[in-house]
Amino acid sequence: MTKLSVITVNYRGWQPLESCLNSLLSLKLENIDLEVIIVDNFSNDGKLDEFTEKFPDFTFIRSEGNYGFAYGNNLGVQHASGDFLLFLNPDTVISEKPLVSMLDLARQESQISIVSSQQVDLNGNNENPFGIFPSAWTINSIIKAVYSLFSNKKLSKSCENSRLVYPDWVSGSLILMRHEHFHQIGGWDEDYWLYSEDTDLCKKVKEKGGNVVLQCQPAITHQHGGTTRRTMRLTAFCKAMVIISKHIYFRKHYSGINHFFLQSFLIINTLLFDYLIPALLGFILFPFGSLRKYLLIYLNLLKYYFNSVVRFTWYIDIKKINPPE
């Protein structure tokens, strides 16, 4: 009998979480003892007690604050007793076939440290939740396109003609790994609040000699961004966090001239090319629509860069983050 601990981190994503938990309840698994742990990252909206009563067979843990996805996952692992850990986003729906197939892969080879699966959106379109590690050749879409023309290394691996792919990283929305491997790499890095923590986790696995594999079929359903797009202000905050987390990743995994170049280029590319014109349009047309989002992203990033200079660090104080509603 294999014991599997499923860990889900939630922050006010109750509607998608309910679908996710119902999908776990409906699983019919043989020789698998399922343990489900939900970490609530201080939603503080009165819903946790309701869900605790609705799903009495699951374990609910209340975090003392919204300290990020990595922190929530690590907190969940502290209460997990399974031989395998499955980190699962609350905006996913899983069934028996992909789960059993992933477990079979993880059990077959001890060198496989992380297993994931293809994900499809609500329309059935492949999301291809994997990629290669960030570098100077992937930091900008134009550079990435040029590099792909002249490089023998594929920047993205396709599931079209493969049963399995072996990318550098897979999305943290669905990660299966042995409990012992998780502790060997020190768990999730809590310096990240949201985004890039999955890339970092896979990086640590590979540095320890482990492999990362993604099965192309069968897939699970993922309502991508379902918990981070409730309001325009929250969406803008999370979009800015994508860039901020890249800065933290570069700080951790690069040094010297490479580190200086990557950080500088990311700032220039973000502030002058990716977001400047949309932000200006958002400022001019502020009352009229969705371009306002880009102005909010830009302001969030300017605040981060200002604080980075003042504090002389790329890192953020996780415990002081207060995401907007």
Side-chain angles (χ1 to χ4, degrees):
M1 177 75 71
T2 299
K3 186 161 188 179
L4 173 65
S5 298
V6 180
I7 298 167
T8 297
V9 178
N10 171 69
Y11 177 73
R12 299 191 178 180
W14 301 107
Q15 185 173 351
L17 175 64
E18 185 168 6
S19 297
C20 177
L21 297 185
N22 281 328
S23 74
L24 291 168
L25 272 179
S26 66
L27 292 175
K28 295 178 175 58
L29 302 171
E30 295 182 3
N31 300 318
I32 298 174
D33 181 12
L34 196 66
E35 172 185 61
V36 179
I37 299 167
I38 300 95
V39 177
D40 183 63
N41 264 356
F42 200 67
S43 293
N44 199 29
D45 57 2
K47 289 279 191 179
L48 180 58
D49 291 340
E50 175 187 328
F51 267 65
T52 301
E53 293 180 7
K54 188 178 291 187
F55 298 95
D57 294 332
F58 297 163
T59 301
F60 287 83
I61 301 166
R62 189 193 309 264
S63 175
E64 295 179 355
N66 189 356
Y67 303 144
F69 181 69
Y71 176 91
N73 277 323
N74 286 340
L75 180 58
V77 173
Q78 292 176 25
H79 298 263
S81 58
D83 307 305
F84 290 87
L85 304 171
L86 178 67
F87 300 100
L88 186 68
N89 264 24
D91 55 0
T92 58
V93 174
I94 195 165
S95 57
E96 292 92 350
K97 284 186 177 180
L99 179 56
V100 171
S101 181
M102 288 170 63
L103 272 170
D104 287 344
L105 274 172
R107 286 183 292 219
Q108 281 173 12
E109 296 183 41
S110 59
Q111 285 300 104
I112 294 181
S113 296
I114 287 180
V115 179
S116 190
S117 184
Q118 177 66 284
Q119 299 172 32
V120 297
D121 62 21
L122 295 178
N123 296 318
N125 300 313
N126 288 339
E127 291 191 343
N128 296 321
F130 53 87
I132 68 168
F133 292 131
S135 70
W137 306 112
T138 63
I139 198 171
N140 174 281
S141 57
I142 297 175
I143 294 175
K144 184 176 178 179
V146 172
Y147 179 69
S148 65
L149 292 176
F150 298 100
S151 172
N152 291 326
K153 182 178 180 180
K154 291 184 178 179
L155 291 181
S156 62
K157 300 177 185 298
S158 173
C159 260
E160 291 179 2
N161 301 311
S162 305
R163 186 179 71 88
L164 303 174
V165 292
Y166 295 84
D168 286 346
W169 62 265
V170 292
S171 169
S173 54
L174 179 69
I175 283 182
L176 174 72
M177 60 190 311
R178 292 178 184 271
H179 203 143
E180 60 182 311
H181 287 172
F182 178 83
H183 287 295
Q184 286 170 5
I185 63 170
W188 294 85
D189 191 323
E190 296 176 15
D191 285 332
Y192 300 93
W193 187 78
L194 187 63
Y195 302 114
S196 292
E197 66 281 286
D198 45 12
T199 309
D200 185 275
L201 186 79
C202 293
K203 182 80 169 175
K204 291 191 294 186
V205 159
K206 295 220 165 184
E207 287 173 349
K208 290 285 188 180
N211 290 326
V212 176
V213 61
L214 179 138
Q215 64 181 18
C216 296
Q217 288 294 337
I220 73 160
T221 301
H222 184 200
Q223 184 183 344
H224 187 69
T227 58
T228 59
R229 298 177 183 174
R230 293 191 304 274
T231 66
M232 181 180 293
R233 289 176 64 83
L234 180 59
T235 299
F237 179 83
C238 291
K239 289 287 186 182
M241 197 58 66
V242 173
I243 305 299
I244 293 168
S245 295
K246 284 182 181 178
H247 283 293
I248 295 172
Y249 180 88
F250 289 149
R251 181 65 189 90
K252 287 180 176 291
H253 297 289
Y254 289 91
S255 59
I257 190 66
N258 287 333
H259 174 252
F260 175 80
F261 169 79
L262 287 167
Q263 300 287 25
S264 301
F265 190 87
L266 184 54
I267 293 173
I268 294 169
N269 186 67
T270 299
L271 293 184
L272 297 184
F273 296 103
D274 283 352
Y275 286 111
L276 179 59
I277 293 177
L280 288 174
L281 290 173
F283 177 76
I284 296 169
L285 304 173
F286 188 83
F288 299 107
S290 60
L291 283 173
R292 192 183 337 168
K293 173 181 67 179
Y294 295 101
L295 175 61
L296 295 174
I297 295 171
Y298 206 82
L299 292 175
N300 278 314
L301 288 170
L302 288 177
K303 180 181 178 182
Y304 166 71
Y305 291 132
F306 175 79
N307 288 333
S308 295
V309 172
V310 171
R311 298 175 60 235
F312 201 64
T313 179
W314 295 105
Y315 296 113
I316 52 180
D317 190 341
I318 296 294
K319 295 199 173 182
K320 289 185 178 180
I321 289 179
N322 185 25
E325 299 306 320

PDB file of all heavy atoms in Angstrom, residues 174-192:
ATOM      1  N   LEU A 174       1.326  21.205 -10.191  1.00  0.00           N
ATOM      2  CA  LEU A 174       1.200  19.745 -10.113  1.00  0.00           C
ATOM      3  C   LEU A 174       2.592  19.136 -10.042  1.00  0.00           C
ATOM      4  O   LEU A 174       3.282  19.013 -11.062  1.00  0.00           O
ATOM      5  CB  LEU A 174       0.451  19.203 -11.335  1.00  0.00           C
ATOM      6  CG  LEU A 174       0.280  17.682 -11.390  1.00  0.00           C
ATOM      7  CD1 LEU A 174      -0.676  17.205 -10.300  1.00  0.00           C
ATOM      8  CD2 LEU A 174      -0.246  17.242 -12.755  1.00  0.00           C
ATOM      9  N   ILE A 175       3.014  18.791  -8.846  1.00  0.00           N
ATOM     10  CA  ILE A 175       4.343  18.203  -8.651  1.00  0.00           C
ATOM     11  C   ILE A 175       4.222  17.011  -7.701  1.00  0.00           C
ATOM     12  O   ILE A 175       3.702  17.138  -6.587  1.00  0.00           O
ATOM     13  CB  ILE A 175       5.342  19.231  -8.094  1.00  0.00           C
ATOM     14  CG1 ILE A 175       5.805  20.170  -9.211  1.00  0.00           C
ATOM     15  CG2 ILE A 175       6.538  18.546  -7.445  1.00  0.00           C
ATOM     16  CD1 ILE A 175       6.822  21.206  -8.784  1.00  0.00           C
ATOM     17  N   LEU A 176       4.701  15.870  -8.163  1.00  0.00           N
ATOM     18  CA  LEU A 176       4.745  14.654  -7.342  1.00  0.00           C
ATOM     19  C   LEU A 176       6.199  14.319  -7.062  1.00  0.00           C
ATOM     20  O   LEU A 176       7.017  14.294  -7.979  1.00  0.00           O
ATOM     21  CB  LEU A 176       4.062  13.489  -8.075  1.00  0.00           C
ATOM     22  CG  LEU A 176       4.161  12.119  -7.399  1.00  0.00           C
ATOM     23  CD1 LEU A 176       3.279  12.064  -6.147  1.00  0.00           C
ATOM     24  CD2 LEU A 176       3.771  11.001  -8.367  1.00  0.00           C
ATOM     25  N   MET A 177       6.519  14.070  -5.807  1.00  0.00           N
ATOM     26  CA  MET A 177       7.884  13.653  -5.472  1.00  0.00           C
ATOM     27  C   MET A 177       7.893  12.795  -4.209  1.00  0.00           C
ATOM     28  O   MET A 177       6.950  12.830  -3.413  1.00  0.00           O
ATOM     29  CB  MET A 177       8.806  14.865  -5.323  1.00  0.00           C
ATOM     30  CG  MET A 177       8.434  15.861  -4.271  1.00  0.00           C
ATOM     31  SD  MET A 177       9.434  17.400  -4.382  1.00  0.00           S
ATOM     32  CE  MET A 177      11.101  16.783  -4.499  1.00  0.00           C
ATOM     33  N   ARG A 178       8.959  12.030  -4.077  1.00  0.00           N
ATOM     34  CA  ARG A 178       9.114  11.226  -2.868  1.00  0.00           C
ATOM     35  C   ARG A 178       9.339  12.144  -1.669  1.00  0.00           C
ATOM     36  O   ARG A 178      10.034  13.163  -1.773  1.00  0.00           O
ATOM     37  CB  ARG A 178      10.313  10.275  -3.009  1.00  0.00           C
ATOM     38  CG  ARG A 178      10.127   9.181  -4.046  1.00  0.00           C
ATOM     39  CD  ARG A 178      11.371   8.321  -4.143  1.00  0.00           C
ATOM     40  NE  ARG A 178      11.244   7.324  -5.187  1.00  0.00           N
ATOM     41  CZ  ARG A 178      10.736   6.104  -4.998  1.00  0.00           C
ATOM     42  NH1 ARG A 178      10.331   5.749  -3.781  1.00  0.00           N
ATOM     43  NH2 ARG A 178      10.644   5.259  -5.990  1.00  0.00           N
ATOM     44  N   HIS A 179       8.776  11.742  -0.549  1.00  0.00           N
ATOM     45  CA  HIS A 179       8.930  12.521   0.676  1.00  0.00           C
ATOM     46  C   HIS A 179      10.412  12.672   1.030  1.00  0.00           C
ATOM     47  O   HIS A 179      10.871  13.762   1.410  1.00  0.00           O
ATOM     48  CB  HIS A 179       8.177  11.819   1.810  1.00  0.00           C
ATOM     49  CG  HIS A 179       7.788  12.726   2.923  1.00  0.00           C
ATOM     50  ND1 HIS A 179       6.600  12.602   3.614  1.00  0.00           N
ATOM     51  CD2 HIS A 179       8.413  13.778   3.503  1.00  0.00           C
ATOM     52  CE1 HIS A 179       6.523  13.532   4.552  1.00  0.00           C
ATOM     53  NE2 HIS A 179       7.613  14.253   4.502  1.00  0.00           N
ATOM     54  N   GLU A 180      11.171  11.615   0.875  1.00  0.00           N
ATOM     55  CA  GLU A 180      12.590  11.652   1.233  1.00  0.00           C
ATOM     56  C   GLU A 180      13.365  12.597   0.314  1.00  0.00           C
ATOM     57  O   GLU A 180      14.274  13.308   0.762  1.00  0.00           O
ATOM     58  CB  GLU A 180      13.192  10.245   1.187  1.00  0.00           C
ATOM     59  CG  GLU A 180      13.107   9.572  -0.183  1.00  0.00           C
ATOM     60  CD  GLU A 180      13.676   8.167  -0.155  1.00  0.00           C
ATOM     61  OE1 GLU A 180      14.798   7.993   0.360  1.00  0.00           O
ATOM     62  OE2 GLU A 180      12.995   7.251  -0.647  1.00  0.00           O
ATOM     63  N   HIS A 181      13.022  12.634  -0.974  1.00  0.00           N
ATOM     64  CA  HIS A 181      13.702  13.546  -1.897  1.00  0.00           C
ATOM     65  C   HIS A 181      13.398  14.997  -1.549  1.00  0.00           C
ATOM     66  O   HIS A 181      14.264  15.870  -1.674  1.00  0.00           O
ATOM     67  CB  HIS A 181      13.272  13.259  -3.337  1.00  0.00           C
ATOM     68  CG  HIS A 181      13.838  11.999  -3.897  1.00  0.00           C
ATOM     69  ND1 HIS A 181      13.457  11.471  -5.112  1.00  0.00           N
ATOM     70  CD2 HIS A 181      14.760  11.137  -3.402  1.00  0.00           C
ATOM     71  CE1 HIS A 181      14.117  10.363  -5.341  1.00  0.00           C
ATOM     72  NE2 HIS A 181      14.915  10.132  -4.320  1.00  0.00           N
ATOM     73  N   PHE A 182      12.168  15.239  -1.126  1.00  0.00           N
ATOM     74  CA  PHE A 182      11.784  16.593  -0.740  1.00  0.00           C
ATOM     75  C   PHE A 182      12.675  17.110   0.382  1.00  0.00           C
ATOM     76  O   PHE A 182      13.171  18.242   0.333  1.00  0.00           O
ATOM     77  CB  PHE A 182      10.315  16.602  -0.303  1.00  0.00           C
ATOM     78  CG  PHE A 182       9.819  17.934   0.161  1.00  0.00           C
ATOM     79  CD1 PHE A 182       9.376  18.888  -0.753  1.00  0.00           C
ATOM     80  CD2 PHE A 182       9.786  18.250   1.513  1.00  0.00           C
ATOM     81  CE1 PHE A 182       8.921  20.128  -0.326  1.00  0.00           C
ATOM     82  CE2 PHE A 182       9.325  19.485   1.947  1.00  0.00           C
ATOM     83  CZ  PHE A 182       8.906  20.421   1.028  1.00  0.00           C
ATOM     84  N   HIS A 183      12.906  16.276   1.387  1.00  0.00           N
ATOM     85  CA  HIS A 183      13.732  16.712   2.516  1.00  0.00           C
ATOM     86  C   HIS A 183      15.213  16.803   2.137  1.00  0.00           C
ATOM     87  O   HIS A 183      15.946  17.638   2.677  1.00  0.00           O
ATOM     88  CB  HIS A 183      13.537  15.777   3.703  1.00  0.00           C
ATOM     89  CG  HIS A 183      12.214  15.953   4.387  1.00  0.00           C
ATOM     90  ND1 HIS A 183      11.866  17.119   5.039  1.00  0.00           N
ATOM     91  CD2 HIS A 183      11.137  15.130   4.499  1.00  0.00           C
ATOM     92  CE1 HIS A 183      10.651  17.013   5.540  1.00  0.00           C
ATOM     93  NE2 HIS A 183      10.173  15.810   5.217  1.00  0.00           N
ATOM     94  N   GLN A 184      15.637  15.974   1.197  1.00  0.00           N
ATOM     95  CA  GLN A 184      17.040  16.019   0.772  1.00  0.00           C
ATOM     96  C   GLN A 184      17.418  17.353   0.130  1.00  0.00           C
ATOM     97  O   GLN A 184      18.553  17.809   0.244  1.00  0.00           O
ATOM     98  CB  GLN A 184      17.329  14.876  -0.200  1.00  0.00           C
ATOM     99  CG  GLN A 184      17.419  13.507   0.467  1.00  0.00           C
ATOM    100  CD  GLN A 184      17.475  12.369  -0.540  1.00  0.00           C
ATOM    101  OE1 GLN A 184      17.536  12.594  -1.761  1.00  0.00           O
ATOM    102  NE2 GLN A 184      17.454  11.143  -0.050  1.00  0.00           N
ATOM    103  N   ILE A 185      16.457  17.987  -0.549  1.00  0.00           N
ATOM    104  CA  ILE A 185      16.753  19.265  -1.205  1.00  0.00           C
ATOM    105  C   ILE A 185      16.350  20.464  -0.348  1.00  0.00           C
ATOM    106  O   ILE A 185      16.484  21.611  -0.780  1.00  0.00           O
ATOM    107  CB  ILE A 185      16.074  19.370  -2.586  1.00  0.00           C
ATOM    108  CG1 ILE A 185      14.546  19.337  -2.442  1.00  0.00           C
ATOM    109  CG2 ILE A 185      16.569  18.271  -3.522  1.00  0.00           C
ATOM    110  CD1 ILE A 185      13.818  19.682  -3.718  1.00  0.00           C
ATOM    111  N   GLY A 186      15.847  20.207   0.856  1.00  0.00           N
ATOM    112  CA  GLY A 186      15.506  21.305   1.744  1.00  0.00           C
ATOM    113  C   GLY A 186      14.144  21.923   1.524  1.00  0.00           C
ATOM    114  O   GLY A 186      13.860  23.009   2.043  1.00  0.00           O
ATOM    115  N   GLY A 187      13.288  21.248   0.742  1.00  0.00           N
ATOM    116  CA  GLY A 187      11.929  21.738   0.536  1.00  0.00           C
ATOM    117  C   GLY A 187      11.840  22.948  -0.374  1.00  0.00           C
ATOM    118  O   GLY A 187      12.774  23.288  -1.097  1.00  0.00           O
ATOM    119  N   TRP A 188      10.681  23.603  -0.334  1.00  0.00           N
ATOM    120  CA  TRP A 188      10.449  24.806  -1.131  1.00  0.00           C
ATOM    121  C   TRP A 188      11.200  25.986  -0.511  1.00  0.00           C
ATOM    122  O   TRP A 188      11.297  26.102   0.714  1.00  0.00           O
ATOM    123  CB  TRP A 188       8.958  25.132  -1.168  1.00  0.00           C
ATOM    124  CG  TRP A 188       8.108  24.132  -1.869  1.00  0.00           C
ATOM    125  CD1 TRP A 188       7.576  22.999  -1.330  1.00  0.00           C
ATOM    126  CD2 TRP A 188       7.657  24.176  -3.232  1.00  0.00           C
ATOM    127  NE1 TRP A 188       6.835  22.321  -2.270  1.00  0.00           N
ATOM    128  CE2 TRP A 188       6.856  23.024  -3.451  1.00  0.00           C
ATOM    129  CE3 TRP A 188       7.837  25.070  -4.284  1.00  0.00           C
ATOM    130  CZ2 TRP A 188       6.253  22.746  -4.662  1.00  0.00           C
ATOM    131  CZ3 TRP A 188       7.236  24.805  -5.496  1.00  0.00           C
ATOM    132  CH2 TRP A 188       6.459  23.652  -5.684  1.00  0.00           C
ATOM    133  N   ASP A 189      11.711  26.859  -1.351  1.00  0.00           N
ATOM    134  CA  ASP A 189      12.442  28.039  -0.885  1.00  0.00           C
ATOM    135  C   ASP A 189      11.441  29.142  -0.540  1.00  0.00           C
ATOM    136  O   ASP A 189      10.763  29.681  -1.418  1.00  0.00           O
ATOM    137  CB  ASP A 189      13.409  28.510  -1.970  1.00  0.00           C
ATOM    138  CG  ASP A 189      14.384  29.556  -1.452  1.00  0.00           C
ATOM    139  OD1 ASP A 189      13.975  30.392  -0.622  1.00  0.00           O
ATOM    140  OD2 ASP A 189      15.537  29.562  -1.902  1.00  0.00           O
ATOM    141  N   GLU A 190      11.390  29.515   0.707  1.00  0.00           N
ATOM    142  CA  GLU A 190      10.398  30.479   1.183  1.00  0.00           C
ATOM    143  C   GLU A 190      10.781  31.935   0.935  1.00  0.00           C
ATOM    144  O   GLU A 190      10.062  32.845   1.370  1.00  0.00           O
ATOM    145  CB  GLU A 190      10.119  30.227   2.666  1.00  0.00           C
ATOM    146  CG  GLU A 190       9.485  28.874   2.926  1.00  0.00           C
ATOM    147  CD  GLU A 190       9.270  28.553   4.395  1.00  0.00           C
ATOM    148  OE1 GLU A 190       9.344  29.503   5.215  1.00  0.00           O
ATOM    149  OE2 GLU A 190       9.037  27.376   4.729  1.00  0.00           O
ATOM    150  N   ASP A 191      11.877  32.176   0.236  1.00  0.00           N
ATOM    151  CA  ASP A 191      12.200  33.545  -0.180  1.00  0.00           C
ATOM    152  C   ASP A 191      11.291  34.007  -1.314  1.00  0.00           C
ATOM    153  O   ASP A 191      11.228  35.204  -1.603  1.00  0.00           O
ATOM    154  CB  ASP A 191      13.663  33.651  -0.632  1.00  0.00           C
ATOM    155  CG  ASP A 191      14.625  33.637   0.542  1.00  0.00           C
ATOM    156  OD1 ASP A 191      14.219  34.072   1.646  1.00  0.00           O
ATOM    157  OD2 ASP A 191      15.771  33.194   0.378  1.00  0.00           O
ATOM    158  N   TYR A 192      10.618  33.075  -1.974  1.00  0.00           N
ATOM    159  CA  TYR A 192       9.663  33.420  -3.033  1.00  0.00           C
ATOM    160  C   TYR A 192       8.268  33.505  -2.413  1.00  0.00           C
ATOM    161  O   TYR A 192       7.866  32.621  -1.658  1.00  0.00           O
ATOM    162  CB  TYR A 192       9.643  32.352  -4.125  1.00  0.00           C
ATOM    163  CG  TYR A 192      10.959  32.126  -4.820  1.00  0.00           C
ATOM    164  CD1 TYR A 192      11.838  31.135  -4.375  1.00  0.00           C
ATOM    165  CD2 TYR A 192      11.327  32.877  -5.930  1.00  0.00           C
ATOM    166  CE1 TYR A 192      13.037  30.911  -5.015  1.00  0.00           C
ATOM    167  CE2 TYR A 192      12.531  32.652  -6.581  1.00  0.00           C
ATOM    168  CZ  TYR A 192      13.388  31.670  -6.109  1.00  0.00           C
ATOM    169  OH  TYR A 192      14.577  31.451  -6.753  1.00  0.00           O
TER     170      TYR A 192
END
